[in-house]
Amino acid sequence: MKRVIVGLSGGVDSSVAALILKTKGYEVIGIYLKNTLLDKNCDWEEESLTALMVSQQLGIPFYIIDITNYYKQIIYDHTINNYLKGKTPNPDILCNKKIKFNLFMKKSAILKADYISTGHYVRRKKISGRFNHTYKLFTALDHKKDQSYFLCCLNQYQIKKSLFPLGNLNKKQVRTIAKSAKLVNAKRKDSQGICFLGKKNFSSILKKTITKKIGTIILINPECNIYKNKIDKFSLKNKINILAELAEKIKYKPKYGNQIGLHEGVACFTKGQRKGIQLGGFNHPLFVLDKDLKHNILYVGQGKKHPGLFKSVFFIKKKHITWLNKNYKNIIKEKKPFKIKAKIRSQQKLQRATLYCINNGIYICFKLPQRAMTEGQYIVLYFKNELIGSCLYD
């Protein structure tokens, strides 16, 4: 009998994952990861109690691992430091790579488990080769619940050792399975918010953590000359030079706009943000376009279609690229345009794009301009429905 460790969060998804695996004949062990860093926002006691009750219903062993200190060092401090540098990191992606799957792997060795499992909506497939096997991840059949985006930094070994029982199900089916088994959390609402931090608005956490530093807010006119010289279309003849120009980041300066107010620190804002600017009296809502950390200036624009919010081409350094399958890495090395699909946010529909490889990285050219892509975020790459890699935009 194969042994599998299941990460039980207290939610219905991970509980049904454990139930399915047990029904298939696996020896299941439940583990809850306890984090009390922001205890008031986490409700870990309720979650762990629910996970314990589910384990009792399923008749499986249950353990609680306290990851508070580890989480603070690896995720929380990293996230705060990146905001201080003007970036907008994704704690959920890092948490999956560095904590959930990493700790479960270590625990599986101690408990002599063959696999680990979570309640993520994603499909895993084993592709048999002549000399070895490749393990691939595909989007879930339920595209609304697909969570492949958050697993974009896993390596081959982590994928090989992981099982994802929910990949072929939709949420309604998962609820039905839970109700049929009379699980205590069958009707429990889905959790939302940052990994292990719950629903707490992260901007409020930042304001308490980061020292206030009053600075100016500059309104940029959408008709500004800095947008007029951008190339909209390009030919393959001079593709690298033109791609480089398109990928270059706009350098905002106070002379390009007018001062309209003050802020309490640019680190608390992210590109595309609307709430929190706290200035009224304009024809259209204000959105953050960019930040100047050195001079503590916040640049904003009116309206959700402001040209400063959109960009089509991004350059990614080689060191910031992760491939789940080395075959795609080799294909890109051929330096030919390679058509893919990609997205910059978890719930976004897959967007058509083309990769162009050069010696020190790749250019990602989207067919349609992408809104409010921010340094520190990930562009996740797909070939058809297969998750093939990710790019950290820096």
Side-chain angles (χ1 to χ4, degrees):
M1 181 184 293
K2 296 290 186 179
R3 181 177 295 174
V4 57
I5 288 174
V6 179
L8 292 179
S9 65
V12 66
D13 292 331
S14 58
S15 300
V16 170
L19 172 61
I20 291 173
L21 290 170
K22 183 177 181 183
T23 302
K24 289 184 176 181
Y26 288 93
E27 180 186 351
V28 179
I29 299 173
I31 291 182
Y32 176 84
L33 299 181
K34 171 185 173 182
N35 179 19
T36 59
L37 183 61
L38 296 173
D39 186 37
K40 293 181 180 179
N41 309 317
C42 203
D43 298 326
W44 78 268
E45 291 182 348
E46 179 187 347
E47 291 175 352
S48 61
L49 179 59
T50 302
L52 171 61
M53 290 190 289
V54 169
S55 297
Q56 290 176 335
Q57 284 185 288
L58 299 179
I60 63 175
F62 178 72
Y63 298 90
I64 296 179
I65 301 177
D66 192 331
I67 63 164
T68 304
N69 292 333
Y70 190 50
Y71 179 88
K72 183 181 185 303
Q73 295 172 10
I74 302 299
I75 308 298
Y76 187 80
D77 290 347
H78 170 84
T79 300
I80 296 296
N81 290 334
N82 271 268
Y83 268 97
L84 289 173
K85 294 176 183 177
K87 300 178 182 180
T88 306
N90 190 311
D92 296 284
I93 291 177
L94 187 62
C95 184
N96 280 321
K97 179 182 180 181
K98 296 289 187 178
I99 293 188
K100 286 183 180 178
F101 286 80
N102 189 31
L103 284 180
F104 287 155
M105 288 297 176
K106 292 179 180 179
K107 196 66 176 179
S108 67
I110 296 172
L111 296 175
K112 297 181 180 180
D114 301 281
Y115 299 102
I116 65 171
S117 181
T118 65
H120 285 97
Y121 286 79
V122 65
R123 291 177 292 162
R124 166 191 173 275
K125 292 185 180 179
K126 175 182 176 181
I127 309 299
S128 298
R130 184 176 180 182
F131 302 107
N132 52 33
H133 305 298
T134 301
Y135 295 85
K136 297 184 177 183
L137 292 181
F138 294 83
T139 56
L141 290 186
D142 185 351
H143 293 297
K144 292 182 179 179
K145 291 296 296 181
D146 174 61
Q147 293 172 306
S148 59
Y149 180 91
F150 299 111
L151 306 180
C152 66
C153 287
L154 298 189
N155 57 44
Q156 270 291 299
Y157 183 71
Q158 289 172 323
I159 299 171
K160 175 184 177 180
K161 300 289 286 185
S162 300
L163 300 176
F164 302 100
L166 307 188
N168 292 312
L169 303 174
N170 59 41
K171 189 68 180 190
K172 185 177 180 180
Q173 290 173 316
V174 169
R175 291 283 186 190
T176 300
I177 293 171
K179 291 177 182 177
S180 298
K182 298 181 180 180
L183 296 183
V184 295
N185 56 358
K187 296 182 180 180
R188 193 172 189 264
K189 293 183 179 180
D190 293 339
S191 60
Q192 296 179 344
I194 299 171
C195 183
F196 289 114
L197 295 183
K199 300 177 182 179
K200 186 70 174 179
N201 188 328
F202 197 70
S203 62
S204 64
I205 297 175
L206 282 172
K207 288 179 180 179
K208 293 179 180 179
T209 307
I210 298 172
T211 304
K212 289 184 180 180
K213 187 178 180 181
I214 303 299
T216 58
I217 300 177
I218 304 295
L219 177 64
I220 301 296
N221 190 316
E223 301 298 325
C224 184
N225 289 331
I226 54 176
Y227 303 123
K228 292 182 179 179
N229 295 327
K230 287 295 171 183
I231 302 171
D232 295 322
K233 297 181 180 180
F234 57 92
S235 63
L236 292 179
K237 186 176 181 180
N238 299 311
K239 63 181 181 182
I240 298 301
N241 291 334
I242 297 175
L243 283 168
E245 185 175 345
L246 285 164
E248 185 179 351
K249 298 170 185 176
I250 293 176
K251 302 296 190 298
Y252 288 100
K253 297 180 180 179
K255 67 179 182 180
Y256 296 147
N258 300 310
Q259 181 177 338
I260 58 172
L262 301 173
H263 62 79
E264 296 183 344
V266 293
C268 295
F269 295 89
T270 186
K271 289 182 182 179
Q273 181 176 331
R274 175 182 173 182
K275 295 181 179 180
I277 300 176
Q278 297 180 340
L279 291 176
F282 297 92
N283 294 330
H284 303 283
L286 298 178
F287 293 87
V288 175
L289 303 180
D290 209 345
K291 304 177 288 185
D292 183 339
L293 268 71
K294 182 178 180 180
H295 301 99
N296 197 30
I297 299 173
L298 187 69
Y299 293 100
V300 301
Q302 283 195 68
K304 61 183 179 180
K305 294 184 179 180
H306 191 286
L309 292 171
F310 296 89
K311 192 176 179 65
S312 296
V313 180
F314 303 89
F315 176 70
I316 309 297
K317 297 176 183 177
K318 185 182 293 184
K319 65 180 181 179
H320 293 317
I321 305 172
T322 299
W323 298 106
L324 274 70
N325 185 340
K326 290 183 179 179
N327 292 334
Y328 287 104
K329 180 180 180 180
N330 295 330
I331 291 173
I332 304 302
K333 277 186 176 180
E334 295 178 3
K335 299 185 179 180
K336 295 179 180 179
F338 185 67
K339 294 188 181 299
I340 60 159
K341 292 182 180 180
K343 59 181 177 179
I344 64 174
R345 295 179 182 85
S346 61
Q347 296 301 310
Q348 182 185 29
K349 291 183 179 180
L350 291 178
Q351 306 287 300
R352 292 183 181 180
T354 305
L355 298 185
Y356 298 86
C357 180
I358 61 174
N359 290 332
N360 60 337
I362 59 174
Y363 288 102
I364 303 177
C365 180
F366 283 89
K367 183 176 182 180
L368 298 176
Q370 300 301 298
R371 187 178 184 278
M373 183 62 189
T374 304
E375 291 83 352
Q377 293 182 326
Y378 284 87
I379 302 175
V380 180
L381 311 177
Y382 297 81
F383 183 70
K384 296 182 179 178
N385 290 323
E386 180 188 351
L387 172 63
I388 63 173
S390 63
C391 299
L392 176 62
Y393 182 52
D394 194 48

